[in-house]
Amino acid sequence: MTVTTVAEATAVPDANEVAAGAPSRFSPSRLFSDYGGLIGIAVLAVVLLVWAPSSLSTFRLGNLGKYCTWAIAGVGIGLAWGRGGMLVMGQGVFFGLGSYAMAMHLKLESAGAGNVPDFMVLYGDGTMPRWWEPFRSGPFTLFAIVALPAVVSFLLGYAILKRRVKGAYFAILTQALTVAFATLLIATIKQTGGFNGLNTFSTFFGQNLYDPDVKKDLYLITAGLLILFLVVVWQLYRSRYGELLVATRDAEERIRFLGYDPANIKLVAFVVAAVMASVGGAMFAPIAGIISPSNVDATASIMLVAGVALGGRASLLGPALGAIAVGFGQSSLSEQFPTQWTYFQGALFIVVVLLLPGGITSLSSRLKAVLPRRKVAV
Amino acid sequence: MTLSFVGEDYLEVRDLAVDFDGFKAISEVNVTFLQGRLHFLIGPNGAGKTTLVDALTGLVRGTGEAMFRQHDLLQMKSHEIVRLGVGRTFQTATVFEQLSVLQNLDIAAGLHRSAGRLLLARRRVPESVQQALETIGLTALAHRPAGILAHGQKQWLEVGMLLVQDAKVMFLDETVAGMSAQEREETGELLRRIVGDRTIVVIEHDMEFMRTYADYVTVMHGGRMLAEGTVAEIQADPQVQSVYLGTVTEVALDG
């Protein structure tokens, strides 16, 4: 043990912070571990924003856009679950808040000024609830897509996390919320379209939704948002907050004795994840052309989590890639096996959890551990 | 603000009692932990040593009073107590195994960081962290995951985490348990080096370690204070001798 007296230690020059002594800090491998994530995001950006629009048909591009909306929610789940240890089984609630807010605006846009959405005439007496009125405004809708899930998740998260609810209890609680949310939507057919949800939108902020160029733009916005959120979590993961979040995940009680309230740390991740799910949902409505309770219920929420588990919940790109893969698998398998594809999905989920708990993105580090590696002086 | 407390930083415990559903784990505990000394807390298993520390660090609810810098610790939450400058370790070292030694210390050093600064990456190693690394002798292992550390090194890392969070009162729960003789000696020397203007309370079973390093000793038995004084006074106390009679530690005390 190096012997340094307190007096010696405090006699260090007055510089506030001293440079890290380890020379390995400046090595290429170190540089790669610091910025490798950004390179990965850049590669994904090229694939999604350059390759895909030029190579895929409008239909396939629309599908990829739909997967990207799940991927956006998945990035948030990666943050909350992979790094924060909160198994969020109810992201459908926040996905739904965003998608319904957007869908309400699109319905009102289709109906035209002063008119009410068609289903209200069909199922109700043709009067519109007053809380629909603000969603005529595009800017208000965009604001609500971010603010609504933020407020709801803050209140929910505060109540849940301050009471130190965690583990399976947290998962069950959030799952129950999404069940309640879907049930509420189904029960309020006059206000929310009920089981049918909201559909048949004609325009998106004045643009004709049947125009292939508009569809392409919708895809580009979604893919762009996905890349943006990946950069956001990249910064979060490398920040001190990211380290603190991992520390909270691994030893929550210990964090208390370092002077932090773990509930606050987790709350930030929970709220950010909720906002991401909401934004994903908001893009889902115009791309899919419909939002219904089945898109936001417990099954849909588990789908989101399954994608994240498949990709690798604690990794940077894993959640997004996993969500896209699950979406793709769902489409292609359901084309061939319309009734059995959910079994494939369930089987895949089980295999990943049992054999590869770190997800597909952990394959490389697993291989690295198996292969002989050169000695590194520490 | 810190300066004004020099020489008068002490933790005064009055009539502390902890009641677990009718079972009095500790009662009538009156003890003052003074600055600048290694204060050992000894006693047989079940004497209430850890419960006392748990009560003072917000882990269990206690009644009575525990004043430190005009705050009653018994009324505060764990993280608030830490922010006031009272830190602790646990019987089993709980470091963040997936994070590096440096990250462990950096997190401990960050309790007063603003939310905005938390969102940035660490560019340089804070001076206090660098110093702590040298003090606990883990500079060479700074970038290794804490999970690979040896048992003794984990305990030193815990002490380092208390150092960077600038704990003025440190409760160390059986820090040298399971350590080799060499590690015990290094730990004892480490505590002597860092005690300075701090108050260090060591819960210990190892009588040899206690006799070598204790400045002051409090003996607990059956949830109550049995005796306190210097090592010599404690060893001469007939009450202490009777409590330890027939136990293995008797030999160590007499030796």
Side-chain angles (χ1 to χ4, degrees):
Chain A
M1 184 192 282
T2 324
V3 177
T4 316
T5 64
V6 174
E8 272 170 19
T10 45
V12 166
D14 51 292
N16 241 350
E17 296 189 323
V18 289
S24 65
R25 214 180 146 72
F26 303 105
S27 73
S29 68
R30 180 101 196 163
L31 203 65
F32 184 77
S33 73
D34 278 2
Y35 292 96
L38 220 45
I39 296 168
I41 295 173
V43 171
L44 187 64
V46 169
V47 169
L48 289 180
L49 295 172
V50 180
W51 174 79
S54 61
S55 312
L56 296 180
S57 67
T58 307
F59 173 71
R60 292 285 170 201
L61 203 60
N63 272 352
L64 185 57
K66 206 161 73 176
Y67 313 151
C68 283
T69 69
W70 291 328
I72 291 172
V75 171
I77 294 173
L79 174 70
W81 181 31
R83 300 283 167 137
M86 292 171 281
L87 179 47
V88 281
M89 295 289 267
Q91 288 308 86
V93 172
F94 305 114
F95 193 83
L97 284 177
S99 54
Y100 270 87
M102 180 63 92
M104 284 161 70
H105 175 67
L106 299 182
K107 281 308 275 182
L108 290 168
E109 210 178 274
S110 304
N115 294 328
V116 305
D118 46 11
F119 74 91
M120 288 185 185
V121 182
L122 207 59
Y123 303 121
D125 51 8
T127 56
M128 194 172 72
R130 284 171 75 179
W131 54 270
W132 268 70
E133 200 59 49
F135 288 92
R136 279 193 199 279
S137 153
F140 174 83
T141 304
L142 295 181
F143 171 75
I145 285 165
V146 175
L148 209 58
V151 171
V152 172
S153 63
F154 179 83
L155 294 176
L156 279 175
Y158 192 88
I160 296 173
L161 297 169
K162 285 283 180 184
R163 282 181 178 73
R164 306 189 187 181
V165 176
K166 52 192 145 193
Y169 300 99
F170 182 90
I172 292 165
L173 197 58
T174 51
Q175 176 90 94
L177 284 169
T178 202
V179 172
F181 181 65
T183 310
L184 181 74
L185 287 172
I186 292 171
T188 53
I189 191 165
K190 290 175 193 169
Q191 290 84 34
T192 66
F195 188 77
N196 302 323
L198 302 175
N199 48 43
T200 54
F201 318 121
S202 54
T203 54
F204 178 79
F205 289 81
Q207 306 293 310
N208 181 2
L209 270 174
Y210 297 97
D211 183 339
D213 284 342
V214 173
K215 286 188 173 181
K216 193 172 170 180
D217 287 346
L218 270 179
Y219 164 78
L220 287 174
I221 293 170
T222 309
L225 284 168
L226 174 60
I227 299 300
L228 172 73
F229 286 142
L230 281 171
V231 173
V232 168
V233 291
W234 173 77
Q235 171 61 24
L236 279 179
Y237 288 175
R238 66 196 285 270
S239 73
R240 278 172 155 139
Y241 170 77
E243 293 174 353
L244 200 52
L245 188 64
V246 170
T248 308
R249 176 194 72 189
D250 292 344
E252 179 165 339
E253 290 310 312
R254 187 69 183 87
I255 273 290
R256 266 181 232 290
F257 293 95
L258 295 178
Y260 301 95
D261 187 348
N264 294 344
I265 298 163
K266 289 161 82 176
L267 191 56
V268 172
F270 187 61
V271 171
V272 171
V275 170
M276 287 185 183
S278 177
V279 171
M283 294 313 295
F284 180 88
I287 289 180
I290 179 172
I291 183 70
S292 74
S294 68
N295 299 124
V296 304
D297 64 4
T299 315
S301 301
I302 292 170
M303 271 274 307
L304 291 173
V305 170
V308 173
L310 172 68
R313 61 180 191 262
S315 67
L316 175 68
L317 295 176
L321 296 176
I324 291 174
V326 165
F328 180 75
Q330 182 181 336
S331 296
S332 50
L333 285 175
S334 64
E335 280 168 15
Q336 286 168 306
F337 311 97
T339 52
Q340 292 105 1
W341 67 267
T342 43
Y343 295 107
F344 285 104
Q345 205 158 43
L348 185 68
F349 189 42
I350 292 169
V351 167
V352 166
V353 168
L354 279 182
L355 301 179
L356 202 63
I360 288 169
T361 45
S362 71
L363 268 177
S364 67
S365 57
R366 282 200 152 197
L367 284 175
K368 238 182 264 173
V370 174
L371 298 171
R373 55 180 204 167
R374 91 200 137 92
K375 282 214 168 211
V376 183
V378 183
Chain B
M1 180 176 157
T2 320
L3 275 178
S4 65
F5 285 107
V6 168
E8 48 183 290
D9 234 4
Y10 58 88
L11 170 55
E12 190 172 22
V13 180
R14 288 286 159 261
D15 292 326
L16 178 64
V18 173
D19 198 319
F20 290 127
D21 294 324
F23 169 69
K24 288 231 178 269
I26 54 174
S27 55
E28 295 171 44
V29 172
N30 290 284
V31 60
T32 304
F33 299 112
L34 284 179
Q35 194 177 21
R37 63 187 188 185
L38 290 175
H39 191 144
F40 276 59
L41 204 54
I42 64 166
N45 279 326
K49 307 178 298 288
T50 298
T51 307
L52 170 63
V53 174
D54 285 352
L56 295 178
T57 52
L59 207 55
V60 300
R61 281 280 143 238
T63 55
E65 200 180 67
M67 297 303 289
F68 177 67
R69 296 184 174 177
Q70 284 107 46
H71 288 80
D72 185 357
L73 301 184
L74 301 184
Q75 307 299 325
M76 297 167 68
K77 290 181 179 157
S78 296
H79 66 275
E80 296 167 342
I81 293 171
V82 173
R83 284 172 174 267
L84 193 63
V86 179
R88 72 171 293 180
T89 66
F90 294 86
Q91 279 178 28
T92 44
T94 42
V95 294
F96 306 112
E97 310 230 322
Q98 301 214 353
L99 299 179
S100 71
V101 171
L102 175 66
Q103 285 173 323
N104 269 273
L105 288 168
D106 187 64
I107 284 175
L111 74 163
H112 296 300
R113 270 184 206 128
S114 69
R117 282 189 60 203
L118 279 179
L119 293 179
L120 299 177
R122 173 183 48 254
R123 295 195 165 273
R124 285 164 169 271
V125 181
E127 195 195 357
S128 66
V129 170
Q130 192 72 38
Q131 279 176 20
L133 277 171
E134 283 163 23
T135 309
I136 61 176
L138 296 180
T139 308
L141 298 170
H143 295 285
R144 305 298 300 278
I148 64 144
L149 294 181
H151 170 74
Q153 291 172 324
K154 281 185 187 167
Q155 289 287 5
W156 295 334
L157 176 56
E158 292 241 35
V159 172
M161 286 160 83
L162 288 176
L163 280 176
V164 293
Q165 75 189 45
D166 202 22
K168 289 301 175 195
V169 179
M170 296 181 176
F171 290 104
L172 308 179
D173 199 348
E174 295 191 27
T175 296
V176 301
M179 281 189 185
S180 68
Q182 166 80 16
E183 285 175 325
R184 277 162 205 248
E185 196 186 322
E186 287 179 0
T187 307
E189 297 304 322
L190 169 66
L191 296 183
R192 281 216 171 131
R193 281 203 305 279
I194 63 174
V195 66
D197 61 346
R198 301 173 202 277
T199 309
I200 300 186
V201 182
V202 187
I203 296 183
E204 206 38 81
H205 274 298
D206 184 334
M207 294 304 142
E208 175 73 33
F209 185 69
M210 188 269 294
R211 273 190 284 115
T212 316
Y213 294 103
D215 295 319
Y216 199 77
V217 183
T218 296
V219 186
M220 290 186 73
H221 178 59
R224 288 160 193 274
M225 310 260 312
L226 191 66
E228 57 181 343
T230 61
V231 175
E233 286 165 358
I234 290 296
Q235 281 180 308
D237 192 305
Q239 265 192 303
V240 176
Q241 286 173 357
S242 78
V243 162
Y244 277 93
L245 207 68
T247 70
V248 285
T249 42
E250 171 214 1
V251 183
L253 263 178
D254 289 349

